[in-house]
Each structure stands twice: as C-alpha cells, then as structure tokens.
Amino acid sequence: MTTTTLAVLVPLLPFLGALAGLLLGRTAPGFARPLAVLPTLASLALAATVAARQGGGPPVDAATELTPTGSVPIELALHIDGFAALTAVVVGTVATCVQIYSTGYLRDDPRYPSYAALVSLFTSAILLVVYTGDLMVLLVGWEVMGICSYFLVGHYWETPEARAASLKAFLVTKLGDVPFLIGLFALAADAGSFRITRILGAVAHGGIDHPTLVALLLLAGVAGKSAQFPLHTWLPDAMAGPTPVSALIHAATMVAAGVYFVARLLPLFEASQAAMTVLAVMAAVTMTGSALAALAQDDIKRVLAYSTIGQLGYMTGALAVADRGAAVFHLLSHGAFKALLFLAAGVIIHAAGTNSLAAMSRMSHLRDRVPDAYWTMTVALLALAAIPPFSGFFSKEAVLGVAEHVVTGHTEHAPAAAGWIVLLAGLLTALLTAAYATRLWLLAFRGRGTEAPDHGRQPLTMTTVLWVLAVPSLAFGGFAFRVLPDWFDGHDLTPTLTTSVLGTGVALVGGIVTYATWRHTTAHAARVPLGAVAAHPEGDAGQVEAEAIASHAPAYGDVAYAADPSDPGRLLLGRLHRHAAVGFHLDAVYSALFVRPVRAGASIVRFLDREVVDTYVRGAGILPRWLGAAVRRAQTGNLQTYVSALLAGTVVLAVAAVLVATGA
C-alpha cells in the first residue's frame, strides 16, 4: 500500500470500530471489547508504519476536492510531516492503552459498549485533526472531539455532578469555538483556500490582510480546546468522567489539539507580534495559576487536571517564542507520562475505595497494596517534575532553552518580552510543579488516612498498561532530543546549560521544601481521626468511581480542603490556599459576569412573555368570545322570537329609509 492509503486507514479504522460498536453493542455485547481494542491497535500499527515511511523527510501531501463550494474549495487533503507522523503514533499508543485498560476498569459497566465506541470515535477524530491538510476537515474532527467529550465526561449521567461537568465542558469549549470558526473563515477568505499549505504560502507572501485579528480569533478556540486561561475552568470539573476518559482527554487528544493547531499554523501567529505576546501572557498565567491550584487540591484527579493545564501552558509558551519543535516535543513527552499518571490514579481509586473518589487526605498504606501503581506513578511524577534523566526533563528544558534564546537575542522570530514572560513563568512553574508532584506522592503513598478495605489485586489489563507507559516516561527524552530535530524542522532540542541548571535547581528546591514541610507537619500534627471510609463490596473500579460521584464527592461539588493535618500544601500556600483550592474563584467571577446577567435577562423575558404577550393574546380572544356568546344566546330555536326579530328589523330598516329619503 502507498503511504497515502495507509494514512487514510489510520483514522478510518477507529471510526469503523466505533460504528460497529454502536450497532452491535447491545445485540452482541461480547463483541464490544474486540471492536474497541483491535481497530485502535491496528490504527496504531499503521500510524507507526506511516511514521517510519515519512522518516522526517519531505511532507506527504495528497488532496481531492470534496464538493464544489464556490470560490473557496473544501478538500479531503492529507499533510503528513514529522510533527503529524509522530503525534499520530502517540495518539494511537495512548488510545490503545486506554481501550485495553478500560476492559478491566469498566468490566461490569452495563454501558461499556457505548463507552468503548465513543472512545474509538474520539480517537478517530483526533487522528483526523492530526493528518488532515484542510482546515474545514480539521474543524469536523475538532467538533466531533467536543461532542464525544460531552458524552464521555457525562458517562455517569445518573449523577448531577457528571451531568453538570459534561455540560460545562461542552459550553465552555463552544464559547471558544465561535470566534475560532469566524477566524477560520476570515483566514480562508484572505488566502483563497482552506488548504494548510496554501495558507502558509499566503502568509509567507504577505497575503493575509489582518493577521493579528485572525490570530486572536483562532486563539480563542485554542484557549477553549486546550484549557488555557481564561477558558480552562471546564477541565478540572471534567474529572467527573471515568478515569480512562481523563487519561484520553489529557494525554494526547482533545486538550493537545489546540497546541497542535497553533504549531501547524505558527507562521501565521509569527506574523503578529501582538498575537505572540498575547500567547505568551496566556501561557504564563495558565502555568503559574494552575500550578498554585494543583498544590491546594485534595482530590488526586483534580491535581492531575490542573497539572495538565500547566503543562499545556509550557507548550503554548514554546509556541509564543516561535519554536513548534519544543512545543510538540513536550506534547509527545507529556502524552506518555500524563496518561500513566491518570491510569495509575485509577488503580489507586480502586485500591483506596474512598467515598470521595481519590481524596489524598484519606489514603493510607497504599504503597504495599498497589506496587505497580506506586513504582510507575513515581516514574511519571519524576518526569512531570522534570528531574533528569526522565523524559519530562528534556522536553521542558527544550521549552526553557528556546525562551532563553529569545531573551539573549539569538532569534528574532518572537518579541523579547514574550521570551522573558515564558522563561520566568516557566522557572516559577517548575518550582511549583515539583512541589505539588512531591505532595501528591507523599499523601497518596505515605499518607496517614483511614485504612480502606483491600479489594484484591487489580486486573492484569490495568497493571500491564502502566508498565508499558512507564517505558517512554523514563526513556523517551534521553534519545528523542537527538533524533527529533530531523523530524522537527531541524531545530536543536539539546538542553542548554543555563536553563538546565536553573530548571533542575528550582525543581529540587520545590521537592525538598515540600518534603521538609511534610516531615515538619507530620511530626507536630496531632493524631486526628479522619473518619471511617465506607467499605465497598467487590466490584470493578468504574463502579467504585461511579458510586463515589453519586455520593456527592467534594471534588465535584464544593471543594473539600484536606482533612489531613500533615498536608504540606496548607503551610506552603498559607492564606492563598483557600483561594487556590477553588481555582481563584474564576467560576464565581464568570457566574457574576455572565451567568447571573443571562438568568436575569431570561427572567425578564419570561415575565414579559407571561404578563404582557400572553395577556395581549388572551385579551385579543375575549371580544370575539363575547360576541360569539351574544350571538349564541340569540339562537334560541323559538320561531316566534325569530319572526319578531325579523319584523323589528324590517321596521328599523323602513324607518331608516324614510329618514334618508326625507333628508334627501
């Protein structure tokens, strides 16, 4: 087969698997697991073959016009360069691991067939976004991801928390998609095409009339999809979905789509210094704010959610200093260790059996009970904290290194202000990231919460996936920064001495200070009962999580502060803790600025509809009804009455005629 044919099959196979799963899931539930795993696994194999054939060489381009649309055609186009080839491999790897993991995690869930089909459709949509060379086709995959996330986050739809989270995820991302769509049309109108290659050609020749306006419109959609400030608030609440869904959304699919989109069209954003500066500020606020919020969360999945937001901030920061190689390098590295973190958290949820999902303040003695999760999550947390030689160190240092190059004037593709913003925010975030990663490890595996009942060993499909993902989390960065430049425009990704020392130094300081604080609080805290943890009967991990959400877990309603007095986050953040725990009240601000005015307007409209419009309609019907009643009363059926009325009418007409004649 040609490379083009193989590339077409990569998103097509999961789509066919999803279609078959939806059709056969209820009638033949035994086929649900093979239909979930095998097409995704085959898609991964084909994506790896496409990457091997592409080999970092010239892009593979192919196109056919979909249908005549007038002046701006829409084409089924492929554009596979090194970025696309490797990103598709990571997407396929994460999706396959999630599907295999889910067969054990949701083994007794009656809605597993529809869940698995939606995961396959989700996978197909992101692969379409990765491979397509036409922005309108990209938009199709972009929106399919949105609707799939709505259904998957709301998988436990019987709980109000899951319903609210799915609706919030859908509406917030759609809020960004509206200006995004306008920006796409404006861009195509200037370039005369939706083809990415032609748009980049128009940018190179100055053919885009309003690059700043178009770039800012597109950034709104990117902020929504990739959970960047100020449209990031949906992502922590999306933890109401099953944990494998969280891994899929966070690792290398939906939230990475915005970063990948900007990387594809980076020359367009480079054409506007204002847009690059806005991107840098957005990245800096996102990085630091989410890291502070992560340090205050008690639920393990919310810590990881805010961590994802911060790591995406690193990627957008790399784009703000005009280096898409560093951005996609961190995207690939992050995809491996973040998927591992979430899937390990799923094992912990099952082992802890807490009635508040994965409240770290209630965990105790988990190290010996879940050794697979302990060791693999330790690897992933070290990668997250960017400790050498783990993969996160090399990819994060690539971001800091390119920011340093902008600051020192070695590149002129981005404003110096953007370089300073990204560099300083990146170093501060490295400190905070190591702090909350250390805190998570201490509270999850060395916490002193109430002992939960032992549910036995987790399914092999769950634990095996953890070790598979631990390999790239440990070893990917060590060789990738030497190999990837050939795939990524030839940009050097080697860590620089200055940022390596600074980044690793602040990370070690963050980890050591957090550990010392934990030792101090543990030594001086009184032994307080943390409350009995409800025992849960034997069952699958998904059922544990579903019942936890149904019990109005604090992670998905009002934020519950950690009950463990040894929590170092409280002491480290001080008075800032209560604000960071609720995301710095951004939801409350949005409620005051948007939700309440809209509801007030709706109340006024409802009042006008009921009291004015309905009153007018009712009044308009009263007069005819009265006339009808009067006429109805005249229809008595009495012949004498009718003759009398006829004679009276005749007399009236005769008198009227005489008066008229006399007057004439």
Side-chain angles (χ1 to χ4, degrees), residues 173-184:
T173 54
K174 292 312 114 182
L175 181 63
D177 285 350
V178 173
F180 181 79
L181 181 60
I182 297 172
L184 286 184

Side-chain angles (χ1 to χ4, degrees), residues 187-509:
L187 181 59
D190 283 348
S193 175
F194 286 106
R195 283 283 298 275
I196 292 176
T197 52
R198 293 174 186 169
I199 289 172
L200 295 179
V203 172
H205 293 90
I208 307 300
D209 296 331
H210 306 94
T212 299
L213 177 61
V214 171
L216 293 178
L217 287 171
L218 295 177
L219 281 181
V222 171
K225 194 68 72 177
S226 287
Q228 297 294 282
F229 176 85
L231 299 180
H232 65 280
T233 57
W234 66 271
L235 195 58
D237 289 349
M239 297 304 95
T243 298
V245 171
S246 302
L248 185 67
I249 291 176
H250 288 246
T253 51
M254 181 170 168
V255 294
V259 172
Y260 181 80
F261 174 82
V262 177
R264 274 279 180 111
L265 296 180
L266 186 58
L268 169 67
F269 295 88
E270 289 183 56
S272 168
Q273 286 209 347
M276 297 293 277
T277 303
V278 169
L279 188 60
V281 172
M282 183 174 76
V285 174
T286 301
M287 276 191 277
T288 54
S290 61
L292 288 169
L295 193 55
Q297 304 303 310
D298 186 33
D299 182 83
I300 191 170
K301 288 177 66 178
R302 289 182 73 89
V303 174
L304 298 179
Y306 277 110
S307 169
T308 297
I309 297 171
Q311 298 308 302
L312 290 166
Y314 272 108
M315 300 174 206
T316 53
L319 295 170
V321 292
D323 195 309
R324 64 176 186 165
V328 178
F329 182 19
H330 196 51
L331 186 155
L332 301 177
S333 172
H334 174 261
F337 67 73
K338 186 51 61 70
L340 175 56
L341 284 170
F342 270 106
L343 297 182
V347 173
I348 290 173
I349 288 173
H350 190 210
T354 63
N355 60 2
S356 56
L357 270 81
M360 295 183 294
S361 59
R362 300 190 177 212
M363 294 181 181
S364 177
H365 306 296
L366 290 179
R367 173 178 175 175
D368 296 329
R369 291 169 52 190
V370 284
D372 299 287
Y374 170 74
W375 288 111
T376 56
M377 182 171 262
T378 300
V379 169
L381 288 172
L382 288 169
L384 172 63
I387 302 300
F390 297 89
S391 61
F393 165 76
F394 296 97
S395 58
K396 189 178 293 186
E397 290 309 317
V399 176
L400 297 178
V402 295
E404 181 198 2
H405 289 160
V406 173
V407 169
T408 55
H410 288 92
T411 178
E412 298 179 354
H413 292 287
W420 278 111
I421 292 170
V422 173
L423 181 60
L424 295 177
L427 290 173
L428 176 59
T429 305
L431 172 72
L432 295 172
T433 300
Y436 69 69
T438 304
R439 171 180 175 267
L440 186 154
W441 186 84
L442 291 170
L443 294 182
F445 297 111
R446 301 186 64 178
R448 39 180 223 85
T450 303
E451 179 78 17
D454 192 349
H455 295 158
R457 189 170 179 83
Q458 283 67 41
L460 187 62
T461 53
M462 294 169 62
T463 55
T464 302
V465 165
L466 300 185
W467 289 106
V468 169
L469 290 172
V471 174
S473 300
L474 174 61
F476 176 73
F479 73 91
F481 77 91
R482 298 184 180 92
V483 176
L484 291 184
D486 295 334
W487 297 68
F488 291 174
D489 304 331
H491 288 190
D492 187 17
L493 299 174
T494 305
T496 62
L497 179 62
T498 303
T499 56
S500 296
V501 172
L502 288 175
T504 305
V506 297
L508 291 174
V509 168

Side-chain angles (χ1 to χ4, degrees), residues 7-8 10-11 60-64 74-81 84-85 88 124-142 194-197 260-261 264-265:
V8 170
V10 170
V60 176
D61 284 295
T64 180
I74 298 175
E75 298 172 305
L76 291 175
L78 290 173
H79 179 70
I80 305 174
D81 54 8
S124 177
I126 183 61
L127 289 171
L128 182 65
V129 169
V130 170
Y131 274 170
T132 186
D134 187 276
L135 291 184
M136 284 305 292
V137 178
L138 181 146
L139 182 65
V140 172
W142 187 278
F194 286 106
R195 283 283 298 275
I196 292 176
T197 52
Y260 181 80
F261 174 82
R264 274 279 180 111
L265 296 180

